Amino acid sequence: PPVNRLSTEVALPPPAIPAGAIVNALPLGTEHFVDRGDLLVRMRVLLRDLPRNPLVLYGTTGTGKSQLANRYVRTHAGEYATVWWIQADTRATAEQSLADLGRQIGAPASGDIKSRLAGQAGDHLLVFDGVEDPAVFDLMPTTGGHIIVTTPDPALGRAQSSSGLEVPGFSDAEARQFYRQRVRDIPGP
């Protein structure tokens, strides 16, 4: 009998980036992205309409928050002068990634990266992935670009200073799409 084979995450082609843009390496994505209905559209609308608020994607572990953020970045990276993915499970990890960004944009070692980003030509898109500590929000600029946050904590998405978007578990149709894309030899509907 045929053997089911699961596909793995792969390095997707890089997004179209304008010349001179500052970009760090994006995490691996999946070639089998499950279209989550209108979530990408809702992300775009929230970032456009409430640019000073971080867009917080929240939901239980495994619902695809990071994959959704990654797909948004890959789709819209060409609109930004700076695109930076920040592993933010701890404040210290986020600070280190922001220090790396500061070096890339020419901020002095003791300089304020937030004001430097706000003053640069062109907008930035920063993704703070895996936030668990609310203190990480103190590191985020509030002008000059867009912020996407992923977190399992719904309270962070409901804060007054953020725009929360719940990423629910898969619907039955999305779950079928997820498995069909990853496993060979599954019969149709």
Side-chain angles (χ1 to χ4, degrees), residues 18-159:
I22 299 168
V23 181
N24 72 339
L26 293 173
L28 294 177
T30 179
E31 61 185 345
H32 304 296
F33 180 74
V34 174
D35 184 357
R36 301 300 306 271
D38 67 344
L39 287 176
L40 285 168
V41 172
R42 289 173 60 199
M43 289 174 68
R44 179 117 171 117
V45 167
L46 286 168
L47 288 168
R48 182 194 67 217
D49 292 350
L50 301 166
R52 292 181 165 274
N53 294 357
L55 170 59
V56 179
L57 302 176
Y58 66 92
T60 57
T61 301
T63 57
K65 299 175 296 293
S66 296
Q67 287 297 330
L68 192 62
N70 194 331
R71 183 55 56 113
Y72 186 90
V73 169
R74 289 176 184 282
T75 303
H76 297 285
E79 301 165 20
Y80 298 93
T82 301
V83 177
W84 208 259
W85 191 278
I86 300 157
Q87 189 56 43
D89 50 331
T90 67
R91 183 179 170 109
T93 306
E95 286 173 337
Q96 180 57 52
S97 184
L98 286 170
D100 294 342
L101 172 57
R103 284 188 285 282
Q104 289 294 316
I105 63 174
S110 60
D112 180 14
I113 296 167
K114 291 193 288 188
S115 61
R116 183 67 176 225
L117 277 170
Q120 77 176 17
D123 287 341
H124 59 264
L125 175 60
L126 307 180
V127 177
F128 288 79
D129 189 31
V131 174
E132 294 181 16
D133 181 355
V136 170
F137 280 77
D138 297 337
L139 304 173
M140 298 176 191
T142 57
T143 60
H146 295 140
I147 306 291
I148 298 173
V149 175
T150 69
T151 181
D153 187 349
L156 297 179
R158 295 183 186 125

